Structures are given as C-alpha cells and as structure tokens.
Amino acid sequence: MRKNYLLTPGPTPLPPEVRAAMARPIIHHRTPQFQAVLKEAAEGLKFVFQTKNDIFILASSGTGAMEAAVINILSCGDTALVVQGGKFGERWTEICKAYGVTPEVLDVEWGKAVSPAELEKRLKANPKIKAVFVTLCETSTGVVNDIAACGRLIKDTPALLVVDAISGLGAIDLKTDDWFCDVVVSGSQKGLMLPPGLGFISVSPKAAKFIEVSKSPRYYFDLRKAKKALDKTDTPFTPAITLIIALNEALKMIKQDGLDAVFARHRKLADATRAAAKALGLELFAPLAGSDVVTSVKVPSGLDGEKLVKTMRDTYGVTIAGGQAELKGKIFRFAHMGFIEEFDIIIGISCLEKVLAQMGYEFPMGAGVKAAEEIFLK
Ligand SMILES: *Cc1c(COP(=O)(O)O)cnc(C)c1O
C-alpha cells in the first residue's frame, strides 16, 4: 500500500471537482453546449489573468503557448531581449533561435531576479528590440521577477512585454493590464490545478498589431485564425474539450476563494516552507527573490541531493523536484502551488526530515515541522 503526495512545480495535484469533471461524457465542440463552456472559460480566464484582453486556449503544454508568442509577434531577423536566469528563460532564447529571431540575452545569475535598471539599460542601448521576454516565476530556481517594474519600463517604448506566467498564474499576483503585459502565456498543470495539456496566451491591443504583420511561418498556432474563431466563440481546431470543462471547475474554485485569498494561501505555504528549511539549518537558494510558488533549497554539502529526492519519492511516496541543468543534485525544489494546503506541507517537511536524518544530516528532529506549524498558527 502506498499513498502518493505530489509537491512538484508541475504537474500539481488535482482537486476532486476537477477529476470528476473529466469523467463526464464527452460532448461535441461545434455545439451551443460547448460554446457555453468556452464562454465561461473565457470569462474565468480573464478574471485570473486580470485582463480585458483576448485569451486563446491552445491544446498544448505551456511551451506551445511560448512558441505561439514568438511566432505570432516576431519575424525572422527581428531582435528580442530575453531575461535569462534559469532553464525557462533559456527556453525563450531557444525558441527565438529556432525561428531566426536574434535573442539578445540579459543573463541573470541563477537564484537572483532581474534588475529593472539593467533591463532599462539594455532596452535603451538597442532600439531594434521588438519584444522583451521575462519569466514571472523562474521555476528552475524558484525566483520571482518584478513584472510590474518591467511593464513600467517597456510600456512607452515600441517593444512588447511578453511574460511566461506558466508556473505563477493563479498562485501569485500578475496584473496583466495594470502592469502593461502585452502577451502573457500560461499552462494548465501548475497553479491552475489541472492536468497538463492546455496552453493559454493573452494578447493586448498593442501586441495584436504585431500579430497582423509577423512573417514567421505558423499554422496550428496562428493566432489570426484563433482570433477569427474566438470572435464567434469557437476554436480553429478540435479543442481539448475535457480539459476545458475541467478548467471551468478549477476557475470556479479560484473565483469562489477570491484572488487575494488564493495569493495569501500561497504566501503562507511558502512562508512555512521557508521557515521549515531554515529551522533545519538548510540554506535557501534564492533568499532575496524566492517566489511563493516553489521554494528552492540548497542541498547541504556532503549529501547526495539526487538520492534525497529519489528516497522521498520511491520509499515514502512524497515527490518533490531536484535541480535542473547546472543545479542538478545541488538544490531541491519544494512546490506549494495550486491544490496544496497546510497539511500537505507538513507531510512534505516531515518526510524531508526523515530522509535527511537517514542520510546522516544532523538537525533537531521535528524542527522543520514545528517552524511550519508556527507559521500556520499565526
Ligand atoms: C513548467 C514551465 C514551463 C514549461 O511548460 P510545459 O507545460 O512543460 O511546456 C515553462 N516556463 C515555466 C516558468 C514553467 O514553470
């Protein structure tokens, strides 16, 4: 017998309402019944994105929405500024290169947030920059970037601000309109409490003009086709019907709680996780810019970080994430995003303590759980 606990930064656990919605009989998508589903999804997404902009729902993972962003607003030979402070910033660079867009890379030390002053300097230095790609929560390092500050710097320039909010949306604040985000992309399997399979992309009126003139090759992700369909409450291809029905359940839950309550819950879960790590004598990887979405923690020297994650998962059924690329074995990432509550954190911390103890790491047993409980009691 084995119970499993998922504390990874995507996929995240599914609420029972979402799972039940996916068990409903399938319906046809060119029907008034499905149009009602699409209409509800559009309204719910606008609420979560905090925008009046159009939002397109794609049958893809989050990366599909990233690719859609690049090809619909930029053309071969264009230049874009990419904020690159981890694996997911690098993905923007790779997609740009795949389509002949020249990425000007603003390298940020992994574990730190982008400096708005640096961004402004780079933007001013190259008037050819047509778009700036930034990651809301750089999931590979746990860092949250100041999107509001980026928006203030970019809004009065000819460039677009494109935000990867795949792991932050529905968990931490992102005011698409008030922060002047022209394009925001997200995915279903992180803060939105759904399985993988949906990509989302919002488009501001400023960005819509870019879409009209882009010369990039595009077919499945052509947002001109998607816009024509959206205006008729339709989709250009067969949508992921079941996932969109489930999306409405998840959006309903977020709406019922209210965005502020959802963000406050994530803040508390993150505070408890950070406090627990410190109480165990562990060091946070991003102490100054840690997100409320995922907490990255340095593996103590002399300990095998990959073994730690593997033992928690394979022996005790608690899945957290290890480090990626250059951080492999050096950090572990403890996610607290989506359908996660206080006692999920307690279980995760308790398991972490058990495995740390078994691996010979010395600390006051129970200190992590106690520190988390103290945050939750506040
Ligand atoms: C998960 C994630 C992605 C990749 O999304 P997929 O759904 O795996 O394609 C991109 N960016 C960030 C910040 C993420 O957290």
Side-chain angles (χ1 to χ4, degrees):
M1 193 177 129
R2 156 66 51 78
K3 264 200 169 184
N4 287 301
Y5 302 89
L6 193 55
L7 292 164
T8 56
T12 60
L14 307 178
E17 293 87 340
V18 166
R19 283 188 287 157
M22 289 189 294
R24 289 179 207 158
I26 192 88
I27 60 172
H28 196 274
H29 52 294
R30 312 284 184 213
T31 57
Q33 288 75 22
F34 188 68
Q35 276 193 318
V37 171
L38 270 185
K39 197 161 167 273
E40 187 181 334
E43 280 161 18
L45 284 172
K46 282 183 183 181
F47 175 77
V48 176
F49 274 70
Q50 304 184 63
T51 189
K52 292 195 179 70
N53 294 340
D54 283 336
I55 302 172
F56 301 100
I57 304 175
L58 310 171
S60 76
S61 82
T63 305
M66 293 173 78
E67 180 155 337
V70 171
I71 64 179
N72 279 282
I73 61 172
L74 298 173
S75 311
C76 186
D78 283 348
T79 300
L81 183 62
V82 180
V83 171
Q84 191 173 279
K87 274 299 290 171
F88 293 110
E90 284 178 2
R91 189 160 299 178
W92 283 126
T93 302
E94 289 165 7
I95 299 171
C96 284
K97 282 184 180 162
Y99 286 95
V101 172
T102 306
E104 252 213 35
V105 175
L106 198 176
D107 253 318
V108 178
E109 190 186 326
W110 289 31
K112 299 234 166 89
V114 65
S115 141
E118 188 64 28
L119 190 137
E120 185 175 27
K121 208 170 88 193
R122 293 290 293 270
L123 196 57
K124 283 199 171 138
N126 189 347
K128 283 205 305 204
I129 291 167
K130 280 193 151 180
V132 181
F133 293 95
V134 191
T135 314
L136 170 63
C137 170
E138 179 45 83
T139 318
S140 62
T141 62
V143 162
V144 64
N145 283 305
D146 186 349
I147 302 299
C150 298
R152 279 194 296 273
L153 293 174
I154 297 165
K155 74 177 167 76
D156 295 322
T157 73
L160 298 179
L161 169 59
V162 183
V163 181
D164 170 356
I166 293 173
S167 79
L169 191 86
I172 55 177
D173 203 8
L174 175 70
K175 298 187 197 303
T176 300
D177 290 355
D178 291 355
W179 295 355
F180 308 100
C181 305
D182 293 298
V183 176
V184 173
V185 300
S186 196
S188 49
Q189 79 278 24
K190 311 231 170 157
L192 292 179
M193 310 182 284
L194 295 161
L198 292 180
F200 308 102
I201 178 164
S202 76
V203 173
S204 73
K206 183 176 170 186
K209 292 188 191 128
F210 283 57
I211 294 176
E212 288 311 315
V213 298
S214 155
K215 291 191 212 52
S216 289
R218 45 194 161 149
Y219 187 85
Y220 186 64
F221 290 134
D222 189 339
L223 294 183
R224 293 168 299 185
K225 270 192 294 217
K227 168 69 176 159
K228 265 190 204 141
L230 186 75
D231 287 344
K232 293 180 281 182
T233 320
D234 200 356
T235 56
F237 310 107
T238 309
I241 300 167
T242 306
L243 289 176
I244 298 174
I245 289 170
L247 167 68
N248 284 344
E249 288 304 319
L251 291 171
K252 215 185 287 172
M253 291 172 69
I254 293 175
K255 214 163 187 179
Q256 262 161 15
D257 283 351
L259 287 181
D260 288 341
V262 169
F263 301 153
R265 173 169 55 85
H266 283 86
R267 165 66 47 83
K268 205 167 197 185
L269 298 176
D271 281 345
T273 307
R274 292 186 279 248
K278 284 183 204 154
L280 296 175
L282 301 173
E283 213 184 313
L284 298 177
F285 179 69
L288 301 177
S291 71
D292 294 339
V293 171
V294 55
T295 296
S296 51
V297 181
K298 286 188 191 172
V299 174
S301 60
L303 239 60
D304 181 341
E306 289 186 66
K307 188 174 163 200
L308 170 74
V309 173
K310 219 178 261 176
T311 309
M312 285 180 67
R313 182 190 63 218
D314 298 342
T315 308
Y316 301 112
V318 176
T319 308
I320 60 169
Q324 296 165 282
E326 63 191 62
L327 293 174
K328 205 172 167 77
K330 295 191 183 138
I331 63 167
F332 62 84
R333 295 173 299 144
F334 196 117
H336 24 73
M337 131 171 68
F339 186 58
I340 299 283
E341 290 185 313
E342 294 181 4
F343 292 104
D344 299 311
I345 302 296
I346 296 296
I347 286 169
I349 298 296
S350 164
C351 181
L352 173 67
E353 289 195 18
K354 180 160 183 171
V355 176
L356 282 172
Q358 285 172 336
M359 290 176 80
Y361 176 72
E362 284 180 22
F363 63 97
M365 188 57 126
V369 168
K370 180 168 182 282
E373 291 279 23
E374 278 165 0
I375 299 281
F376 293 143
L377 272 171
K378 270 187 205 160

